């Protein structure tokens, strides 16, 4: 531990910043749960809480569903 004040809570600025980012993400997840906004995957129908289980901008529940949807669109458009 580098020399610090006797009242220091974190060992260095990097640790303080990391803690601040983690707490900000935790508050955002808590607010998302309270809001109760859910989304569902257009491919398989799985549901999730927006901003908690997936990103706010997520459309599909997983990379596998995204890939299945891409293949389905490709076949429908006449691609090989």
């Amino acid at each position: 531990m580098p020399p610090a004040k006797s009242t220091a809570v974190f060992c260095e600025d990097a640790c303080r910043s990391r803690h601040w980012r983690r707490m900000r993400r935790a508050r955002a997840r808590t607010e998302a749960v309270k809001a109760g906004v859910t989304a569902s995957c257009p491919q398989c129908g799985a549901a999730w809480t927006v901003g908690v289980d997936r990103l706010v901008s997520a459309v599909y529940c997983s990379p596998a569903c995204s890939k299945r949807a891409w293949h389905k669109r490709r076949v429908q458009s006449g691609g090989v």
Side-chain angles (χ1 to χ4, degrees):
M1 184 168 160
K5 294 180 182 178
S6 61
T7 59
V9 176
F10 300 101
C11 60
E12 58 187 57
D13 287 339
C15 291
R16 181 182 49 78
S17 296
R18 185 180 315 120
H19 175 73
W20 185 82
R21 285 190 304 272
R22 285 181 181 167
M23 295 308 293
R24 184 177 60 175
R25 285 192 300 264
R27 280 191 301 272
R29 283 197 290 295
T30 302
E31 290 173 10
V33 169
K34 285 180 182 177
V37 179
T38 59
S40 62
C41 178
Q43 186 64 30
C44 70
W48 65 87
T49 303
V50 173
V52 176
D53 303 323
R54 307 274 181 272
L55 294 175
V56 173
S57 60
V59 176
Y60 299 101
C61 66
S62 67
C65 278
S66 177
K67 190 173 182 178
R68 277 189 225 113
W70 179 81
H71 282 288
K72 187 176 177 182
R73 287 192 308 269
R74 186 172 177 203
V75 168
Q76 287 176 349
S77 68
V80 175

